[in-house]
Amino acid sequence: MANTVHELIKNNYKVIVVVGGGITARNYISAATQVNSSKGVLDHLGILVSRLNARVFIEALHNDELVYSEPPENLQQVRAAIQIKPIVVLGGLQPGQSTTAVAALCAEYCQANKVVYGTDVDAVYTADPRKDKSAKPLQRITYSKLRELTQNSDNILPGQYRIMDGVALTILERSKIEAQILMGSKDNMLRAVLKGERVGTLIVDG
């Protein structure tokens, strides 16, 4: 992923990278759940892990001239940082939001042209392909339809955000920000951003 970011910078893009907590965050959340921590505390643990992951990714980028050295912790800091350096990396911002929502908020606040979500799935499907063998990948979907697909109880639990949470969808929709969900490989990212190809699923205004 670090090579992908550098390739985008070579093509004169500014890049805000939002890093999630991943398996490590889920492990901490699971452990804290066993001692009856509140949902807010669970979210905060996830945020702390995502910020550690962001710091590791900053190190992986190996370029002090191009990379902002600290993960911002609010939107004002994100905007200030991207005006100083072309690469900004951060984790979560506040409880109740997934890093999916953070990416949407950063895009809106900094007036980005597009949000690309690199995930472990190749597209949005009509249903969970791990549970429903008849599920079909979608090349294009509206905000409202994606909201229908993601409306379920476990989509709002700490560490359990799926493709997209409600906050992210609300931000994307109100500012009409184009978003793309795809398998997070270097090739897919560059095809989506540099060539404008429809890799994965494009999320658009209805």
Side-chain angles (χ1 to χ4, degrees), residues 4 16 42 62 64 68 72 78 83 91 96 106 118 129 131 136 139 153 162 164 166-168 186-187 205:
T4 304
I16 299 172
L42 300 183
H62 293 301
D64 291 340
Y68 195 74
V78 172
Q83 290 172 350
C106 289
K131 300 177 182 178
K136 304 291 184 185
Q139 287 190 334
S153 59
R162 303 306 183 191
M164 188 80 65
V167 175
K186 177 180 178 181
D187 182 58
D205 189 19

Side-chain angles (χ1 to χ4, degrees), residues 18-69:
V18 181
V19 181
I23 294 173
T24 303
R26 288 191 285 274
N27 287 341
Y28 275 106
I29 288 168
S30 176
T33 299
Q34 300 302 313
V35 295
N36 298 316
S37 295
S38 70
K39 295 294 190 293
V41 168
L42 300 183
D43 265 346
H44 188 62
L45 289 172
I47 289 169
L48 292 174
V49 174
S50 71
R51 289 176 179 173
L52 284 173
N53 287 345
R55 288 181 179 277
V56 172
F57 192 64
I58 287 169
E59 295 302 314
L61 288 164
H62 293 301
N63 195 317
D64 291 340
E65 291 184 5
L66 297 177
V67 186
Y68 195 74
S69 61

Side-chain angles (χ1 to χ4, degrees), residues 73-178:
E73 297 185 3
N74 59 57
L75 292 173
Q76 292 92 336
Q77 290 177 5
V78 172
R79 185 162 67 177
I82 201 66
Q83 290 172 350
I84 297 170
K85 302 280 188 176
I87 304 172
V88 176
V89 184
L90 68 150
L93 294 182
Q94 66 181 41
Q97 296 174 352
S98 69
T99 43
T100 304
V102 172
L105 285 163
C106 289
E108 180 183 63
Y109 204 79
C110 298
Q111 297 182 311
N113 295 324
K114 188 173 189 175
V115 183
V116 178
Y117 290 103
T119 71
D120 58 358
V121 295
D122 58 353
V124 176
Y125 282 73
T126 53
D128 188 339
R130 294 167 295 186
K131 300 177 182 178
D132 186 348
K133 292 183 179 179
S134 66
K136 304 291 184 185
L138 300 168
Q139 287 190 334
R140 186 183 180 95
I141 192 169
T142 63
Y143 303 116
S144 57
K145 183 60 179 177
L146 184 55
R147 192 183 300 276
E148 290 177 19
L149 288 177
T150 57
Q151 274 186 339
N152 58 67
S153 59
D154 66 355
N155 201 46
I156 61 171
L157 296 177
Q160 296 298 316
Y161 301 109
R162 303 306 183 191
I163 295 172
M164 188 80 65
D165 68 284
V167 175
L169 281 170
T170 297
I171 299 301
L172 292 171
E173 187 170 16
R174 76 181 183 183
S175 291
K176 295 180 169 52
I177 301 169
E178 185 179 281

Side-chain angles (χ1 to χ4, degrees), residues 13 114 187-198:
Y13 283 88
K114 188 173 189 175
D187 182 58
N188 279 345
M189 288 284 195
L190 296 180
R191 285 168 62 197
V193 178
L194 299 181
K195 299 180 181 179
E197 293 184 17
R198 284 194 181 179

